[in-house]
Each structure stands twice: as structure tokens, then as C-alpha cells.
Amino acid sequence: MLPIPFNRAAVTGREVEYVTRAIAEGPIHGDGPFTKACHEWLERLTGSPKALLTTSCTHALEMTALLLDLQPGDEVIVPPFTFVSTVNAVVLRGALPVFVDIRPDTLNIDETRIEAAITPRTRAILLVHYAGVACAIDAILDIAARHGLIVVEDNAHGLFGAYKGRPLGTFGSFATLSFHDTKNLSCGEGGALMINDPQYVERAEIIREKGTNRTRFYRGQVDKYTWCDIGSSYLPSDILAAYLLAQLESHAQIQSRRHAIWARYAASLAPWAEAAGVRLPVVPDGCDHPAHIFHLLMPSLEARTALLAHLRERRILAVFHYLPLHLSDMGRRLGGVEGQCPVTEDVSDRLVRLPLFFQLTDADQDRVIDAVRAWR
Ligand SMILES: Cc1ncc(COP(=O)(O)O)c(C=O)c1O
């Protein structure tokens, strides 16, 4: 019996052809023709006015922190149930992440707890749409407007997700995307910064190009480029963009397969889940999810440990997800204590993600479903 991995990056056929073309035709530095094509695709797919490919979502988040001019002493509201990069971007500027617990249903930041965490030093609310299921955006935008805060969407999971018909990543001043190989579309390592507020575009281009106006120079808008601001090298080679373009062009095929797998898990596991006291993903009305994650919330840590071992014995790799950031070594150094975010602490002990990837066959998915249903 062959092992079933948790994830395998989608490959749809034209990746090698485009990479070969990028190399043959050049240039292969950043912002070549394939990067421009990816920008157009991302702008068209999301409706965001400006896309900039980056070397990762982590780097897009770092660019966001630079664009916000976060300073030591500033505070940014974040959920503790997220990847470290969401929070590192804030800490790298010397600012303080203020953890607000998540909702037990969607596992997104609990909008009813945000206002109590706002202080005169709060600058922004950094959201994560877990599994690409939208946060309570209307309520959060309202809080942000009343307190003069900027909203940023870490949309690493949520490309193709929507809230009331509008794509995720178009609600905040900025949104970040990930094309890491665990994501629905990937180029191995990659990301994008989506800019919805046009006042930030010029500075974003400068920060991404080592603090220079080289992007304007390439467009013929200045006759030489020079050092204008702080910055770093956040743009990927056109070789990676070529790979990503093949994936963007095949997004309908990838998404359709992922949705079929997600829906099959949901339908096949519902009776078992009910009998075993397991909760399946909650997708509230008005949210279109992108079939990024299919998770189970087990009744206890012991049940989670037992299920993962049970699946491993059957050569199926299922995995848990984020550990509470406020209880990590770094989080504790920033003042995190047990009991601070009880929903996160509880959920992170009980969550299991099942294999979900483009190439997963029906037969392999049947093996996963049968194995899960054979537990208890
Ligand atoms: C919510 C979230 N933000 C950011 C990232 C970082 O993405 P990348 O690996 O593209 O830097 C991840 C990675 O999985 C993530 O889950």
C-alpha cells in the first residue's frame, strides 16, 4: 500500500514549457514578461487594482509593515492562530502584536473582542481568513473606520475565497497571497502583495526594488534610477513567475478538483462526524471558500493523537496546524500567558487536516475516508 501524502503541489502541464520559454527568451530577473502576465491575472481574478509578485507571503507581509511605517511602540491586532510570518512582520519593525482570540466556528479573529484590544497606539488590524473562509469583514471594517485603523488581509489561504460575492483580499488597504507549495496555486516559494489603496503603490514598488525607483526606470518614467527610501529585494525571478503563470492559467481546473475533493469529504464524513462528536468545517452564509483546507475538530487532544496515529498506521499522512503563537517561546517573551486566548489554545490541540491536493485520486480519497470512518 503506497503512502498518501498530506500535500503535493499541483502540476497542470505547462509549467516546464513556460520556464523553458522564460530562460530562452529572458530576461529572467524580476519584473520580466511572465511577472507582468501574473500581475494581470491576479488583478483580473481578484479585482484588486495592483498586484506585485513577491518572493513569499512572508515578504509581502514585511512590505506591508514597511508601508505602514510601523514604529517601536505601535500595536497591531492579530489572531494568535496563524503562521509566524503574520506576526514576524510586525515584530521586525519593533512594533507589538496584540493577540485577539479567534471564534470557535470559523477559527478567524473574534470581531467582538477587537474593540477591547484597541489602545491609542493601535495602528492596524491584521486579519487571517483561515482556510479562506472570510472573517466577519463588515463588522471589522466598521471598527477600523471608527478608530482610524488600517485593515490588512493576510490572504495566504484565501485566493478565490469571497465574502458576499466580493473576493477576499479586496477589503483591506493591502492583502498578501502565498504561492508556497502547500497552497492551491504555487511556484514552490512565492507570494504577492495586493494593494487596494492607490496611495501606497509608488512606495511599494520602491520598497520591493531595494529602495530604488528602478520600476519607474524600467517603465521609462525616469532616465536613471537611484536610492529613494528603505527597501529590500522582494521580487522573484521571472523563472518562478513563468511557473506560476501556468498555474494561474489552470486555476479553474485546479479549483474544480479541489472543490470536488472538499465536498466529497464533507458529504462522506458527516454521519461519522456526528456520531463521533467531531466537527467538520463551518462555512457561514455569505462565505465562498476556496477549498484550501479540510479539517476535523476532534473532541479532545487524546482523540486527535489517536486519529493521527490510526491514519499513520494506514500510511496516510494527516497533520495538525498552528500552535498558539502567544504561547510560543517568542510569544511568551512578548508577554503571552496561558489562558489568554482560550479558544485558540483549545482548538489548536484538536484540529486535524486531511490530505487535499489536486492530484489526489478518488481511490486514494476513498482510502482516507474509509480509514477515518474506521476510527471509533
Ligand atoms: C496565514 C499565513 N500567512 C503567511 C504564510 C507564509 O506564507 P509563505 O510561505 O508564502 O511566506 C502562511 C504559510 O503557510 C500562512 O499560513
Side-chain angles (χ1 to χ4, degrees):
M1 203 168 24
L2 288 173
I4 299 177
F6 168 66
N7 177 58
R8 190 172 290 150
V11 181
T12 55
R14 304 196 78 172
E15 288 83 355
V16 172
E17 178 195 331
Y18 283 6
V19 166
T20 307
R21 252 180 59 199
I23 294 166
E25 294 167 14
I28 56 168
H29 57 63
D31 279 339
F34 285 98
T35 304
K36 291 199 174 74
C38 288
H39 288 169
E40 284 164 19
W41 261 104
L42 289 173
E43 288 161 12
R44 216 168 35 240
L45 283 173
T46 61
S48 275
K50 184 74 184 173
L52 290 173
L53 282 196
T54 56
T55 29
S56 61
C57 183
T58 302
H59 279 167
L61 287 160
E62 288 179 27
M63 283 183 68
T64 300
L66 287 165
L67 285 162
L68 290 177
D69 255 330
L70 290 182
Q71 301 293 324
D74 286 345
E75 295 175 2
V76 175
I77 291 177
V78 288
F81 190 65
T82 181
F83 194 63
V84 287
S85 299
T86 321
V87 178
N88 259 333
V90 174
V91 175
L92 279 166
R93 306 314 316 146
L96 188 69
V98 174
F99 292 111
V100 168
D101 206 359
I102 56 171
R103 292 166 44 142
D105 56 355
T106 57
L107 315 185
N108 287 327
I109 194 164
D110 184 341
E111 69 281 1
T112 65
R113 295 175 185 271
I114 291 178
E115 219 148 5
I118 295 174
T119 75
R121 298 180 145 189
T122 309
R123 295 281 317 285
I125 305 172
L126 181 33
L127 305 176
V128 177
H129 304 295
Y130 186 74
V133 174
C135 296
I137 293 178
D138 290 339
I140 293 169
L141 289 178
D142 177 58
I143 295 168
R146 281 191 284 107
H147 292 271
L149 305 177
I150 292 186
V151 173
V152 177
E153 297 170 79
D154 176 343
N155 200 25
H157 301 181
L159 180 61
F160 307 117
Y163 179 67
K164 296 185 180 168
R166 182 168 150 190
L168 299 188
T170 59
F171 294 92
S173 298
F174 311 98
T176 60
L177 293 171
S178 174
F179 302 115
H180 184 264
D181 80 350
T182 48
K183 301 305 184 294
N184 292 19
L185 307 188
S186 116
C187 56
E189 299 277 357
L193 177 64
M194 309 300 290
I195 306 172
N196 299 318
D197 183 341
Q199 65 169 310
Y200 293 105
V201 169
E202 189 176 340
R203 188 158 183 245
E205 288 180 342
I206 288 170
I207 286 171
R208 178 167 165 270
E209 264 284 19
K210 300 91 180 163
T212 75
N213 55 350
R214 182 147 77 174
T215 306
R216 300 196 74 206
F217 171 71
Y218 281 151
R219 282 201 295 259
Q221 291 167 322
V222 288
D223 57 10
K224 53 184 173 318
Y225 69 88
T226 187
W227 187 24
C228 310
D229 201 336
I230 56 170
S232 190
S233 188
Y234 290 125
L235 71 175
S237 155
D238 220 43
I239 297 175
L240 281 177
Y243 193 101
L244 183 63
L245 181 64
Q247 301 251 310
L248 285 164
E249 288 180 354
S250 304
H251 74 275
Q253 190 191 350
I254 294 172
Q255 286 302 102
S256 144
R257 179 67 195 138
R258 292 189 71 106
H259 274 291
I261 296 168
W262 197 101
R264 200 149 168 261
Y265 273 141
S268 316
L269 294 178
W272 164 82
E274 172 135 29
V278 172
R279 204 189 72 196
L280 301 185
V282 176
V283 183
D285 284 349
C287 296
D288 293 320
H289 72 86
H292 178 52
I293 292 173
F294 192 91
H295 66 263
L296 312 172
L297 260 194
M298 302 302 291
S300 63
L301 172 61
E302 294 68 39
R304 198 243 326 249
T305 307
L307 177 67
L308 291 179
H310 168 88
L311 294 175
R312 227 177 9 253
E313 277 160 23
R314 286 152 185 79
R315 308 202 74 194
I316 295 166
L317 187 62
V319 296
F320 51 88
H321 210 182
Y322 307 127
L323 301 175
L325 279 179
H326 62 291
L327 298 182
S328 62
D329 289 349
M330 186 69 193
R332 285 183 194 271
R333 267 187 266 154
L334 294 169
V337 289
E338 254 124 54
Q340 182 183 339
C341 296
V343 180
T344 299
E345 291 164 32
D346 170 46
V347 158
S348 79
D349 272 350
R350 298 193 285 118
L351 193 136
V352 173
R353 290 181 291 160
L354 297 181
L356 169 52
F357 53 90
F358 176 67
Q359 290 96 327
L360 186 67
T361 61
D362 283 350
D364 277 354
Q365 190 182 14
D366 283 341
R367 248 179 75 196
V368 180
I369 291 167
D370 290 347
V372 170
R373 288 198 295 216
W375 181 80
R376 293 239 167 120

